[in-house]
Amino acid sequence: MSDRMHWSRWGDPARTTTLPANALAMLELAFGPPAPRPAVDQQAVQLPAVGLPDDVLDALRDAIGVEHVDTGVEPRLLHTGGKSTPDLLALRGGDAAAAPDAVLRPADHDEVQALVSLCSERRIAVVPYGGGTSVVGGLTASRDGLVAVVAIDLGRLDRLVDVDEVSSTAVLQAGVSGPRAEELLGEHGMTLGHFPQSFEFATVGGFAATRSSGQSSSGYGRFDTMVVGLKVATPLGTWELGVAPASAAGPDLRQLVLGSEGTLGIVTEVRLAVRTKPVTAVYETWRFPTFVGGATAMRTLTQDGINPTVLRLSDETETSLNLAKPESIGADSGGGALMVCGYEGTDDRVERMRREVGEVLQGLGGTPLGAEDGEEWAEGRFNAPYLRDALLDQGVLVETLETATFWSNLDHLYAQVKAALEGALSAQGTNPIVLCHISHVYRTGASLYFTVACRETDDPRAQWYTAKQAASDAIVAAGGTITHHHAVGRDHKPWYAEEIGPIGTDVLRAVKRSVDPAGVLNPGVLIP
Ligand SMILES: Cc1cc2nc3c(=O)[nH]c(=O)nc-3n(C[C@H](O)[C@H](O)[C@H](O)COP(=O)(O)OP(=O)(O)OC[C@H]3O[C@@H](n4cnc5c(N)ncnc54)[C@H](O)[C@@H]3O)c2cc1C
Protein backbone atom coordinates (compact mmCIF):
# COMPACT_ATOMS: atom_id res chain seq x y z
CA MET A 1 0.00 0.00 0.00
CA SER A 2 1.11 3.52 -0.64
CA ASP A 3 2.28 5.19 2.55
CA ARG A 4 0.22 8.16 1.39
CA MET A 5 -3.04 6.30 2.12
CA HIS A 6 -5.01 7.34 5.22
CA TRP A 7 -5.43 4.60 7.84
CA SER A 8 -9.23 4.88 8.10
CA ARG A 9 -10.28 6.95 5.07
CA TRP A 10 -9.85 6.86 1.33
CA GLY A 11 -6.69 8.30 -0.16
CA ASP A 12 -4.12 10.91 0.66
CA PRO A 13 -4.54 12.34 4.19
CA ALA A 14 -3.60 15.77 2.81
CA ARG A 15 -6.70 15.70 0.59
CA THR A 16 -9.22 15.02 3.38
CA THR A 17 -12.50 16.69 2.38
CA THR A 18 -15.29 18.28 4.37
CA LEU A 19 -18.73 18.95 2.94
CA PRO A 20 -19.65 22.43 1.68
CA ALA A 21 -22.59 24.21 3.34
CA ASN A 22 -24.97 23.48 0.44
CA ALA A 23 -24.28 19.73 0.74
CA LEU A 24 -24.82 19.81 4.54
CA ALA A 25 -28.13 21.62 4.01
CA MET A 26 -29.18 19.04 1.46
CA LEU A 27 -28.28 16.19 3.83
CA GLU A 28 -30.46 17.71 6.52
CA LEU A 29 -33.31 17.99 4.07
CA ALA A 30 -32.91 14.38 2.96
CA PHE A 31 -31.99 12.63 6.22
CA GLY A 32 -33.03 14.91 9.09
CA PRO A 33 -30.99 16.78 11.73
CA PRO A 34 -27.20 16.34 11.67
CA ALA A 35 -25.73 13.42 13.64
CA PRO A 36 -21.94 13.58 13.15
CA ARG A 37 -19.94 10.42 13.83
CA PRO A 38 -16.21 11.10 13.89
CA ALA A 39 -13.67 8.26 13.79
CA VAL A 40 -11.80 7.26 16.94
CA ASP A 41 -8.31 8.60 17.39
CA GLN A 42 -5.68 6.46 15.64
CA GLN A 43 -3.78 6.03 18.94
CA ALA A 44 -6.88 4.44 20.50
CA VAL A 45 -6.93 1.53 18.04
CA GLN A 46 -5.71 -1.71 19.60
CA LEU A 47 -4.06 -4.33 17.38
CA PRO A 48 -3.95 -8.04 18.22
CA ALA A 49 -0.56 -9.30 19.49
CA VAL A 50 1.89 -10.50 16.82
CA GLY A 51 1.45 -14.28 16.59
CA LEU A 52 4.47 -15.17 14.44
CA PRO A 53 6.90 -17.60 16.09
CA ASP A 54 10.47 -16.25 16.44
CA ASP A 55 12.00 -18.86 14.15
CA VAL A 56 9.52 -17.93 11.39
CA LEU A 57 10.31 -14.25 11.82
CA ASP A 58 14.02 -15.07 11.55
CA ALA A 59 13.43 -17.08 8.37
CA LEU A 60 11.37 -14.23 6.85
CA ARG A 61 14.14 -11.76 7.71
CA ASP A 62 16.75 -14.05 6.14
CA ALA A 63 14.65 -14.22 2.96
CA ILE A 64 14.14 -10.48 2.34
CA GLY A 65 16.25 -8.54 4.86
CA VAL A 66 15.48 -7.42 8.41
CA GLU A 67 14.34 -3.93 7.37
CA HIS A 68 11.66 -5.36 5.05
CA VAL A 69 9.87 -7.43 7.72
CA ASP A 70 7.71 -5.04 9.72
CA THR A 71 5.72 -5.94 12.83
CA GLY A 72 5.14 -2.33 13.92
CA VAL A 73 1.68 -1.04 14.80
CA GLU A 74 1.39 1.61 12.06
CA PRO A 75 2.35 -0.56 9.05
CA ARG A 76 0.08 -3.35 10.30
CA LEU A 77 -2.77 -0.87 10.72
CA LEU A 78 -2.18 0.51 7.22
CA HIS A 79 -2.51 -3.05 5.87
CA THR A 80 -5.72 -3.88 7.74
CA GLY A 81 -8.51 -4.71 5.31
CA GLY A 82 -9.35 -2.66 2.25
CA LYS A 83 -11.50 0.37 1.49
CA SER A 84 -15.09 -0.88 1.46
CA THR A 85 -17.45 1.07 3.69
CA PRO A 86 -17.66 -1.84 6.20
CA ASP A 87 -13.83 -1.93 6.30
CA LEU A 88 -13.72 1.82 6.94
CA LEU A 89 -16.49 1.63 9.54
CA ALA A 90 -14.59 -1.07 11.43
CA LEU A 91 -11.43 1.05 11.57
CA ARG A 92 -13.33 4.26 12.35
CA GLY A 93 -14.80 2.39 15.34
CA GLY A 94 -11.33 1.24 16.47
CA ASP A 95 -11.69 -2.39 15.34
CA ALA A 96 -8.44 -3.63 13.75
CA ALA A 97 -8.92 -7.34 14.52
CA ALA A 98 -8.16 -8.10 10.85
CA ALA A 99 -4.61 -6.69 11.09
CA PRO A 100 -1.87 -8.96 9.73
CA ASP A 101 0.90 -10.08 12.11
CA ALA A 102 3.57 -8.62 9.86
CA VAL A 103 4.02 -6.65 6.67
CA LEU A 104 6.63 -8.05 4.28
CA ARG A 105 8.10 -5.98 1.47
CA PRO A 106 9.99 -8.18 -1.02
CA ALA A 107 12.09 -6.55 -3.75
CA ASP A 108 11.53 -8.83 -6.74
CA HIS A 109 10.01 -12.03 -8.06
CA ASP A 110 12.62 -14.27 -6.44
CA GLU A 111 12.00 -12.80 -3.01
CA VAL A 112 8.22 -13.12 -3.45
CA GLN A 113 8.74 -16.74 -4.49
CA ALA A 114 10.92 -17.39 -1.42
CA LEU A 115 8.23 -15.93 0.86
CA VAL A 116 5.41 -17.91 -0.74
CA SER A 117 7.40 -21.16 -0.43
CA LEU A 118 8.32 -20.42 3.18
CA CYS A 119 4.77 -19.47 4.18
CA SER A 120 3.43 -22.62 2.55
CA GLU A 121 5.92 -24.78 4.50
CA ARG A 122 5.24 -23.02 7.81
CA ARG A 123 1.47 -22.70 7.37
CA ILE A 124 1.39 -18.91 7.42
CA ALA A 125 -1.56 -17.25 5.64
CA VAL A 126 -0.46 -14.85 2.90
CA VAL A 127 -2.39 -11.77 1.81
CA PRO A 128 -0.96 -10.29 -1.41
CA TYR A 129 -1.25 -6.52 -0.96
CA GLY A 130 -1.25 -4.14 -3.92
CA GLY A 131 -2.83 -0.72 -3.40
CA GLY A 132 -5.10 -1.96 -0.62
CA THR A 133 -8.19 -0.63 -2.42
CA SER A 134 -10.28 -3.81 -2.38
CA VAL A 135 -13.94 -3.14 -1.67
CA VAL A 136 -15.04 -6.78 -1.32
CA GLY A 137 -13.09 -8.03 1.71
CA GLY A 138 -10.30 -9.37 -0.52
CA LEU A 139 -7.58 -8.40 1.95
CA THR A 140 -8.93 -10.08 5.08
CA ALA A 141 -7.60 -13.63 5.34
CA SER A 142 -9.07 -16.33 7.50
CA ARG A 143 -6.70 -17.67 10.20
CA ASP A 144 -8.45 -21.06 10.54
CA GLY A 145 -5.88 -23.81 11.14
CA LEU A 146 -2.99 -21.48 10.28
CA VAL A 147 -0.22 -20.09 12.48
CA ALA A 148 -0.43 -16.39 11.56
CA VAL A 149 -1.21 -13.95 8.71
CA VAL A 150 1.29 -11.86 6.76
CA ALA A 151 0.59 -9.14 4.21
CA ILE A 152 3.02 -9.26 1.29
CA ASP A 153 3.16 -5.66 0.10
CA LEU A 154 4.26 -5.51 -3.54
CA GLY A 155 5.13 -1.81 -3.47
CA ARG A 156 8.84 -2.39 -4.11
CA LEU A 157 8.08 -4.24 -7.36
CA ASP A 158 7.59 -0.94 -9.18
CA ARG A 159 9.62 -1.22 -12.39
CA LEU A 160 8.97 -1.29 -16.09
CA VAL A 161 10.77 -4.52 -17.03
CA ASP A 162 10.52 -4.47 -20.80
CA VAL A 163 8.97 -2.58 -23.70
CA ASP A 164 8.40 -4.17 -27.11
CA GLU A 165 7.50 -1.19 -29.26
CA VAL A 166 7.06 -3.31 -32.39
CA SER A 167 4.44 -5.54 -30.73
CA SER A 168 3.00 -2.73 -28.54
CA THR A 169 3.54 -4.66 -25.32
CA ALA A 170 5.16 -3.75 -22.02
CA VAL A 171 6.04 -5.81 -18.96
CA LEU A 172 5.26 -4.07 -15.67
CA GLN A 173 5.98 -5.34 -12.18
CA ALA A 174 2.94 -6.01 -10.04
CA GLY A 175 3.40 -3.19 -7.55
CA VAL A 176 3.36 -0.44 -10.19
CA SER A 177 0.48 1.95 -9.34
CA GLY A 178 -1.83 3.49 -11.95
CA PRO A 179 -0.04 6.87 -12.12
CA ARG A 180 3.40 5.20 -12.10
CA ALA A 181 2.34 2.95 -15.01
CA GLU A 182 1.31 6.01 -17.01
CA GLU A 183 4.57 7.77 -16.11
CA LEU A 184 6.76 4.79 -17.10
CA LEU A 185 4.87 4.10 -20.32
CA GLY A 186 4.61 7.81 -21.11
CA GLU A 187 8.41 7.92 -21.44
CA HIS A 188 7.94 5.59 -24.44
CA GLY A 189 5.00 7.54 -25.87
CA MET A 190 2.56 4.89 -24.64
CA THR A 191 -0.43 4.56 -22.34
CA LEU A 192 -2.14 1.67 -20.62
CA GLY A 193 -5.50 3.43 -20.78
CA HIS A 194 -6.67 1.92 -17.48
CA PHE A 195 -8.28 4.53 -15.24
CA PRO A 196 -10.49 3.01 -12.54
CA GLN A 197 -11.68 5.43 -9.88
CA SER A 198 -9.05 3.88 -7.58
CA PHE A 199 -6.36 4.66 -10.21
CA GLU A 200 -4.19 6.81 -7.93
CA PHE A 201 -3.50 3.96 -5.48
CA ALA A 202 -4.37 0.60 -7.08
CA THR A 203 -1.66 -1.50 -8.76
CA VAL A 204 -1.07 -3.54 -11.89
CA GLY A 205 -1.05 -6.78 -9.83
CA GLY A 206 -4.31 -5.80 -8.15
CA PHE A 207 -5.91 -4.94 -11.51
CA ALA A 208 -4.98 -8.38 -12.80
CA ALA A 209 -6.00 -10.23 -9.64
CA THR A 210 -9.45 -8.60 -9.64
CA ARG A 211 -10.13 -8.23 -13.39
CA SER A 212 -10.59 -4.54 -12.94
CA SER A 213 -12.39 -2.26 -15.37
CA GLY A 214 -11.50 1.41 -15.82
CA GLN A 215 -13.49 4.49 -16.76
CA SER A 216 -12.11 4.34 -20.32
CA SER A 217 -13.12 0.71 -20.80
CA SER A 218 -15.34 1.59 -23.74
CA GLY A 219 -12.28 2.64 -25.73
CA TYR A 220 -9.39 0.70 -24.19
CA GLY A 221 -11.20 -2.38 -22.82
CA ARG A 222 -11.20 -3.99 -19.38
CA PHE A 223 -7.86 -4.75 -17.74
CA ASP A 224 -8.11 -8.51 -18.35
CA THR A 225 -8.35 -7.90 -22.09
CA MET A 226 -5.03 -6.01 -21.96
CA VAL A 227 -3.10 -8.85 -20.30
CA VAL A 228 -1.06 -11.01 -22.66
CA GLY A 229 1.32 -12.65 -20.18
CA LEU A 230 1.79 -13.27 -16.45
CA LYS A 231 4.51 -14.34 -14.03
CA VAL A 232 3.22 -15.84 -10.81
CA ALA A 233 4.87 -17.07 -7.59
CA THR A 234 3.02 -20.16 -6.32
CA PRO A 235 3.70 -22.69 -3.56
CA LEU A 236 4.69 -25.12 -6.36
CA GLY A 237 7.19 -22.65 -7.85
CA THR A 238 7.20 -20.02 -10.58
CA TRP A 239 4.39 -20.18 -13.16
CA GLU A 240 4.78 -18.22 -16.42
CA LEU A 241 1.95 -17.90 -18.92
CA GLY A 242 1.44 -16.29 -22.32
CA VAL A 243 3.89 -16.85 -25.18
CA ALA A 244 1.81 -15.50 -28.06
CA PRO A 245 -0.94 -12.93 -28.73
CA ALA A 246 -3.43 -15.74 -29.30
CA SER A 247 -3.29 -19.49 -29.03
CA ALA A 248 -5.41 -22.62 -29.47
CA ALA A 249 -3.26 -24.59 -27.03
CA GLY A 250 -5.98 -25.78 -24.68
CA PRO A 251 -7.92 -23.63 -22.24
CA ASP A 252 -6.38 -20.19 -21.65
CA LEU A 253 -4.77 -20.62 -18.23
CA ARG A 254 -4.06 -16.90 -17.99
CA GLN A 255 -7.79 -16.57 -17.36
CA LEU A 256 -7.42 -18.83 -14.33
CA VAL A 257 -4.92 -16.42 -12.78
CA LEU A 258 -6.80 -13.27 -13.80
CA GLY A 259 -9.45 -12.70 -11.15
CA SER A 260 -7.92 -15.28 -8.78
CA GLU A 261 -7.53 -12.60 -6.07
CA GLY A 262 -4.30 -13.95 -4.65
CA THR A 263 -5.70 -17.42 -3.96
CA LEU A 264 -3.60 -19.29 -6.54
CA GLY A 265 -0.37 -17.33 -6.44
CA ILE A 266 1.14 -13.87 -6.32
CA VAL A 267 1.36 -12.11 -9.68
CA THR A 268 4.77 -10.44 -9.89
CA GLU A 269 4.89 -9.33 -13.54
CA VAL A 270 2.26 -8.64 -16.18
CA ARG A 271 2.86 -8.33 -19.92
CA LEU A 272 0.30 -5.86 -21.24
CA ALA A 273 -0.91 -4.72 -24.62
CA VAL A 274 -0.33 -0.96 -24.58
CA ARG A 275 -1.43 1.93 -26.84
CA THR A 276 0.04 5.04 -28.30
CA LYS A 277 -0.41 7.92 -25.88
CA PRO A 278 -3.25 10.14 -27.13
CA VAL A 279 -2.40 13.59 -28.42
CA THR A 280 -5.86 14.99 -27.77
CA ALA A 281 -8.58 14.23 -25.25
CA VAL A 282 -12.06 15.77 -25.31
CA TYR A 283 -14.83 14.99 -22.81
CA GLU A 284 -18.35 16.29 -23.39
CA THR A 285 -21.79 15.79 -21.87
CA TRP A 286 -25.19 15.02 -23.34
CA ARG A 287 -28.64 15.04 -21.81
CA PHE A 288 -31.30 12.42 -22.50
CA PRO A 289 -34.92 12.80 -21.39
CA THR A 290 -34.74 9.44 -19.57
CA PHE A 291 -32.20 6.87 -18.35
CA VAL A 292 -33.86 4.22 -20.53
CA GLY A 293 -33.51 6.46 -23.60
CA GLY A 294 -29.85 7.13 -22.85
CA ALA A 295 -29.18 3.42 -22.38
CA THR A 296 -30.74 2.71 -25.79
CA ALA A 297 -28.39 5.29 -27.31
CA MET A 298 -25.40 3.62 -25.64
CA ARG A 299 -26.46 0.23 -26.99
CA THR A 300 -26.88 1.64 -30.48
CA LEU A 301 -23.40 3.15 -30.44
CA THR A 302 -21.76 -0.01 -29.17
CA GLN A 303 -23.61 -2.31 -31.52
CA ASP A 304 -22.76 -0.03 -34.44
CA GLY A 305 -19.09 -0.37 -33.48
CA ILE A 306 -18.76 3.30 -32.47
CA ASN A 307 -16.85 3.25 -29.20
CA PRO A 308 -15.95 6.57 -27.61
CA THR A 309 -13.09 6.18 -25.13
CA VAL A 310 -15.36 7.03 -22.18
CA LEU A 311 -19.09 6.37 -22.18
CA ARG A 312 -21.18 6.67 -19.03
CA LEU A 313 -24.77 7.51 -18.22
CA SER A 314 -26.26 8.57 -14.87
CA ASP A 315 -29.86 7.74 -14.03
CA GLU A 316 -32.31 10.53 -13.24
CA THR A 317 -31.55 10.51 -9.48
CA GLU A 318 -27.78 10.56 -9.92
CA THR A 319 -28.14 13.33 -12.51
CA SER A 320 -30.30 15.41 -10.18
CA LEU A 321 -27.72 15.28 -7.39
CA ASN A 322 -24.68 16.52 -9.34
CA LEU A 323 -22.66 14.26 -7.07
CA ALA A 324 -19.48 14.43 -9.06
CA LYS A 325 -19.18 18.14 -8.25
CA PRO A 326 -19.56 18.84 -4.51
CA GLU A 327 -19.80 22.57 -5.14
CA SER A 328 -22.88 21.95 -7.33
CA ILE A 329 -24.69 19.51 -5.03
CA GLY A 330 -28.23 20.71 -4.61
CA ALA A 331 -28.08 23.06 -7.63
CA ASP A 332 -30.51 22.58 -10.51
CA SER A 333 -29.08 19.86 -12.74
CA GLY A 334 -31.48 20.42 -15.64
CA GLY A 335 -33.12 16.99 -15.16
CA GLY A 336 -33.11 13.91 -17.38
CA ALA A 337 -30.14 11.55 -17.61
CA LEU A 338 -26.63 12.90 -18.08
CA MET A 339 -24.18 11.11 -20.37
CA VAL A 340 -20.41 11.67 -20.45
CA CYS A 341 -18.62 10.86 -23.71
CA GLY A 342 -14.84 11.03 -23.94
CA TYR A 343 -12.67 10.82 -27.05
CA GLU A 344 -8.91 10.24 -27.01
CA GLY A 345 -6.43 9.80 -29.84
CA THR A 346 -5.03 11.88 -32.67
CA ASP A 347 -6.75 15.18 -33.52
CA ASP A 348 -8.31 13.58 -36.60
CA ARG A 349 -9.55 10.52 -34.78
CA VAL A 350 -11.06 12.56 -31.95
CA GLU A 351 -12.86 14.83 -34.38
CA ARG A 352 -14.16 11.91 -36.45
CA MET A 353 -15.33 9.96 -33.39
CA ARG A 354 -17.00 13.02 -31.90
CA ARG A 355 -18.88 13.67 -35.13
CA GLU A 356 -19.98 10.06 -35.54
CA VAL A 357 -21.13 9.77 -31.93
CA GLY A 358 -22.89 13.13 -32.12
CA GLU A 359 -24.91 12.10 -35.17
CA VAL A 360 -26.11 8.91 -33.48
CA LEU A 361 -26.90 10.54 -30.12
CA GLN A 362 -28.76 13.46 -31.66
CA GLY A 363 -30.80 11.07 -33.77
CA LEU A 364 -31.83 9.22 -30.60
CA GLY A 365 -33.05 12.21 -28.59
CA GLY A 366 -29.81 13.41 -26.99
CA THR A 367 -29.09 17.10 -26.44
CA PRO A 368 -25.44 18.16 -26.64
CA LEU A 369 -24.29 20.21 -23.62
CA GLY A 370 -20.76 20.93 -24.79
CA ALA A 371 -17.39 20.17 -23.25
CA GLU A 372 -17.39 22.27 -20.07
CA ASP A 373 -19.03 19.75 -17.70
CA GLY A 374 -17.23 16.85 -19.41
CA GLU A 375 -13.84 18.46 -18.81
CA GLU A 376 -14.81 19.11 -15.19
CA TRP A 377 -15.80 15.47 -14.83
CA ALA A 378 -12.43 14.37 -16.20
CA GLU A 379 -10.48 16.72 -13.93
CA GLY A 380 -12.36 15.81 -10.75
CA ARG A 381 -12.98 12.13 -11.41
CA PHE A 382 -10.56 10.84 -8.77
CA ASN A 383 -11.87 13.19 -6.07
CA ALA A 384 -15.31 11.63 -5.59
CA PRO A 385 -14.14 8.83 -3.22
CA TYR A 386 -13.06 11.47 -0.69
CA LEU A 387 -16.71 12.50 -0.38
CA ARG A 388 -17.62 9.14 1.16
CA ASP A 389 -15.47 9.83 4.22
CA ALA A 390 -16.92 13.32 4.56
CA LEU A 391 -20.40 11.77 4.54
CA LEU A 392 -19.41 9.07 7.06
CA ASP A 393 -18.16 11.89 9.32
CA GLN A 394 -21.72 13.23 9.21
CA GLY A 395 -23.28 9.89 10.15
CA VAL A 396 -24.41 9.21 6.58
CA LEU A 397 -23.86 5.67 5.33
CA VAL A 398 -22.58 5.55 1.74
CA GLU A 399 -21.62 2.46 -0.22
CA THR A 400 -21.61 1.21 -3.78
CA LEU A 401 -22.24 -2.08 -5.54
CA GLU A 402 -22.19 -3.14 -9.16
CA THR A 403 -23.39 -5.82 -11.54
CA ALA A 404 -23.85 -6.44 -15.28
CA THR A 405 -26.27 -8.15 -17.61
CA PHE A 406 -27.33 -8.41 -21.25
CA TRP A 407 -29.06 -5.42 -22.84
CA SER A 408 -32.41 -7.21 -23.00
CA ASN A 409 -32.37 -7.64 -19.20
CA LEU A 410 -30.88 -4.30 -18.16
CA ASP A 411 -34.11 -2.45 -17.26
CA HIS A 412 -35.36 -5.40 -15.24
CA LEU A 413 -32.09 -5.78 -13.29
CA TYR A 414 -31.97 -2.03 -12.64
CA ALA A 415 -35.52 -1.97 -11.26
CA GLN A 416 -35.04 -5.07 -9.09
CA VAL A 417 -31.77 -3.98 -7.47
CA LYS A 418 -32.99 -0.44 -6.86
CA ALA A 419 -36.20 -1.76 -5.25
CA ALA A 420 -34.25 -4.24 -3.10
CA LEU A 421 -31.91 -1.54 -1.78
CA GLU A 422 -34.72 0.93 -1.15
CA GLY A 423 -36.88 -1.75 0.48
CA ALA A 424 -34.16 -3.11 2.79
CA LEU A 425 -32.99 0.30 3.97
CA SER A 426 -36.49 1.76 4.38
CA ALA A 427 -37.44 -1.27 6.49
CA GLN A 428 -34.67 -0.21 8.88
CA GLY A 429 -36.36 3.14 9.33
CA THR A 430 -34.08 5.17 7.08
CA ASN A 431 -34.92 7.12 3.98
CA PRO A 432 -32.35 5.97 1.40
CA ILE A 433 -31.26 7.64 -1.80
CA VAL A 434 -30.26 5.12 -4.48
CA LEU A 435 -28.33 6.32 -7.52
CA CYS A 436 -27.14 4.39 -10.53
CA HIS A 437 -25.00 4.77 -13.61
CA ILE A 438 -23.85 2.70 -16.55
CA SER A 439 -20.09 2.97 -17.01
CA HIS A 440 -19.00 -0.12 -18.96
CA VAL A 441 -20.68 -1.17 -22.19
CA TYR A 442 -20.33 -4.14 -24.52
CA ARG A 443 -22.03 -5.17 -27.75
CA THR A 444 -24.16 -7.57 -25.73
CA GLY A 445 -24.80 -5.71 -22.48
CA ALA A 446 -23.65 -3.27 -19.82
CA SER A 447 -22.78 -2.82 -16.16
CA LEU A 448 -24.90 -1.05 -13.55
CA TYR A 449 -23.18 0.78 -10.69
CA PHE A 450 -25.32 1.72 -7.68
CA THR A 451 -24.51 4.22 -4.95
CA VAL A 452 -26.56 4.24 -1.77
CA ALA A 453 -26.78 6.94 0.90
CA CYS A 454 -28.91 7.00 4.06
CA ARG A 455 -28.76 8.02 7.70
CA GLU A 456 -26.70 5.52 9.74
CA THR A 457 -28.44 3.43 12.39
CA ASP A 458 -26.63 2.43 15.62
CA ASP A 459 -24.91 -0.45 13.81
CA PRO A 460 -24.14 0.81 10.28
CA ARG A 461 -22.15 -2.31 9.30
CA ALA A 462 -25.13 -4.56 10.06
CA GLN A 463 -27.37 -2.01 8.34
CA TRP A 464 -25.30 -2.21 5.16
CA TYR A 465 -24.95 -6.01 5.22
CA THR A 466 -28.75 -6.35 5.35
CA ALA A 467 -29.11 -4.06 2.32
CA LYS A 468 -26.22 -5.75 0.51
CA GLN A 469 -27.77 -9.17 1.08
CA ALA A 470 -31.10 -7.99 -0.34
CA ALA A 471 -29.40 -6.42 -3.37
CA SER A 472 -27.22 -9.48 -4.00
CA ASP A 473 -30.24 -11.80 -3.80
CA ALA A 474 -32.03 -9.49 -6.25
CA ILE A 475 -29.04 -9.50 -8.62
CA VAL A 476 -28.94 -13.30 -8.76
CA ALA A 477 -32.74 -13.61 -9.06
CA ALA A 478 -32.78 -11.05 -11.89
CA GLY A 479 -30.02 -12.82 -13.82
CA GLY A 480 -27.11 -10.40 -13.25
CA THR A 481 -23.55 -11.22 -12.27
CA ILE A 482 -22.63 -10.69 -8.62
CA THR A 483 -19.77 -8.46 -9.74
CA HIS A 484 -18.79 -6.75 -12.97
CA HIS A 485 -15.44 -5.38 -11.74
CA HIS A 486 -15.08 -5.24 -7.96
CA ALA A 487 -14.33 -9.00 -7.75
CA VAL A 488 -15.61 -11.63 -5.29
CA GLY A 489 -13.44 -11.30 -2.17
CA ARG A 490 -15.19 -12.57 0.94
CA ASP A 491 -18.32 -10.45 0.51
CA HIS A 492 -19.65 -12.00 -2.71
CA LYS A 493 -18.78 -15.65 -2.14
CA PRO A 494 -22.26 -17.12 -1.49
CA TRP A 495 -23.70 -15.52 -4.63
CA TYR A 496 -20.60 -16.36 -6.67
CA ALA A 497 -21.12 -20.04 -5.77
CA GLU A 498 -24.65 -19.78 -7.11
CA GLU A 499 -23.42 -18.07 -10.28
CA ILE A 500 -20.84 -20.75 -11.18
CA GLY A 501 -22.85 -23.71 -9.87
CA PRO A 502 -21.59 -26.87 -8.14
CA ILE A 503 -19.38 -27.96 -11.06
CA GLY A 504 -17.67 -24.58 -11.21
CA THR A 505 -17.17 -24.66 -7.45
CA ASP A 506 -15.61 -28.15 -7.60
CA VAL A 507 -13.28 -27.11 -10.44
CA LEU A 508 -12.08 -24.06 -8.51
CA ARG A 509 -11.57 -26.04 -5.30
CA ALA A 510 -9.60 -28.70 -7.18
CA VAL A 511 -7.30 -26.10 -8.76
CA LYS A 512 -6.81 -24.45 -5.37
CA ARG A 513 -5.92 -27.81 -3.72
CA SER A 514 -3.44 -28.59 -6.44
CA VAL A 515 -1.61 -25.21 -6.58
CA ASP A 516 -1.87 -24.31 -2.88
CA PRO A 517 -1.96 -27.65 -1.00
CA ALA A 518 -1.40 -26.01 2.41
CA GLY A 519 -4.21 -23.53 1.75
CA VAL A 520 -2.16 -20.47 2.75
CA LEU A 521 -2.89 -18.14 -0.17
CA ASN A 522 -5.53 -15.59 0.85
CA PRO A 523 -7.65 -18.18 2.70
CA GLY A 524 -11.36 -17.37 2.87
CA VAL A 525 -11.28 -15.22 -0.28
CA LEU A 526 -12.97 -16.11 -3.59
CA ILE A 527 -13.06 -19.95 -3.42
CA PRO A 528 -16.57 -20.98 -2.27
C1 LIG B 1 -12.81 4.46 -4.21
C2 LIG B 1 -12.66 3.19 -5.01
C3 LIG B 1 -12.91 3.21 -6.35
C4 LIG B 1 -12.77 2.04 -7.10
N1 LIG B 1 -13.01 2.10 -8.44
C5 LIG B 1 -12.85 0.98 -9.19
C6 LIG B 1 -13.06 1.03 -10.59
O1 LIG B 1 -13.36 2.07 -11.17
N2 LIG B 1 -12.87 -0.12 -11.30
C7 LIG B 1 -12.49 -1.28 -10.68
O2 LIG B 1 -12.31 -2.28 -11.36
N3 LIG B 1 -12.32 -1.36 -9.35
C8 LIG B 1 -12.47 -0.27 -8.59
N4 LIG B 1 -12.27 -0.33 -7.23
C9 LIG B 1 -11.89 -1.61 -6.63
C10 LIG B 1 -10.35 -1.80 -6.55
O3 LIG B 1 -9.70 -0.58 -6.67
C11 LIG B 1 -9.88 -2.73 -7.63
O4 LIG B 1 -10.34 -4.02 -7.30
C12 LIG B 1 -8.37 -2.78 -7.85
O5 LIG B 1 -8.13 -3.57 -8.99
C13 LIG B 1 -7.58 -3.33 -6.71
O6 LIG B 1 -6.20 -3.07 -6.93
P1 LIG B 1 -5.20 -2.98 -5.71
O7 LIG B 1 -3.83 -2.87 -6.24
O8 LIG B 1 -5.62 -1.93 -4.76
O9 LIG B 1 -5.39 -4.41 -5.05
P2 LIG B 1 -5.65 -4.77 -3.55
O10 LIG B 1 -6.86 -4.09 -3.05
O11 LIG B 1 -4.41 -4.62 -2.80
O12 LIG B 1 -5.99 -6.32 -3.72
C14 LIG B 1 -7.17 -6.76 -4.34
C15 LIG B 1 -7.19 -8.29 -4.33
O13 LIG B 1 -6.19 -8.79 -5.20
C16 LIG B 1 -5.18 -9.50 -4.48
N5 LIG B 1 -3.90 -9.05 -5.03
C17 LIG B 1 -3.39 -7.80 -5.04
N6 LIG B 1 -2.22 -7.79 -5.68
C18 LIG B 1 -1.99 -9.05 -6.09
C19 LIG B 1 -0.94 -9.68 -6.81
N7 LIG B 1 0.11 -9.01 -7.24
N8 LIG B 1 -1.03 -11.01 -7.05
C20 LIG B 1 -2.10 -11.72 -6.62
N9 LIG B 1 -3.10 -11.18 -5.93
C21 LIG B 1 -3.06 -9.86 -5.68
C22 LIG B 1 -5.39 -9.12 -3.03
O14 LIG B 1 -4.96 -10.12 -2.15
C23 LIG B 1 -6.88 -8.88 -2.97
O15 LIG B 1 -7.60 -10.08 -2.84
C24 LIG B 1 -12.41 0.82 -6.46
C25 LIG B 1 -12.14 0.83 -5.10
C26 LIG B 1 -12.28 2.00 -4.36
C27 LIG B 1 -11.99 1.98 -2.89
Side-chain angles (χ1 to χ4, degrees), residues 10 82-84 126-140 152 154 174-175 194-199 201-215 232 260-263 265-268 384-386 388 440 449 484-487 489 522 525:
W10 170 254
K83 292 293 174 186
S84 68
V126 169
V127 180
Y129 221 96
T133 68
S134 167
V135 282
V136 291
L139 296 161
T140 307
I152 297 191
L154 295 148
H194 187 65
F195 303 102
Q197 203 177 40
S198 52
F199 168 76
F201 294 90
T203 61
V204 163
F207 296 148
T210 61
R211 293 214 265 144
S212 163
S213 194
Q215 292 173 340
V232 191
S260 64
E261 300 184 47
T263 61
I266 301 191
V267 175
T268 57
Y386 289 91
R388 173 176 51 166
H440 307 277
Y449 186 95
H484 167 265
H485 58 267
H486 281 170
N522 229 357
V525 169

Side-chain angles (χ1 to χ4, degrees), residues 26-60:
M26 205 192 76
L27 285 185
E28 192 163 347
L29 212 60
F31 303 132
R37 245 195 216 182
V40 300
D41 194 68
Q42 184 179 343
Q43 313 310 324
V45 182
Q46 297 286 321
L47 265 66
V50 173
L52 277 164
D54 285 346
D55 63 328
V56 174
L57 269 172
D58 287 344
L60 293 170

Side-chain angles (χ1 to χ4, degrees), residues 270-281:
V270 186
R271 180 178 292 279
L272 292 151
V274 293
R275 317 280 180 123
T276 304
K277 203 171 168 56
V279 182
T280 303

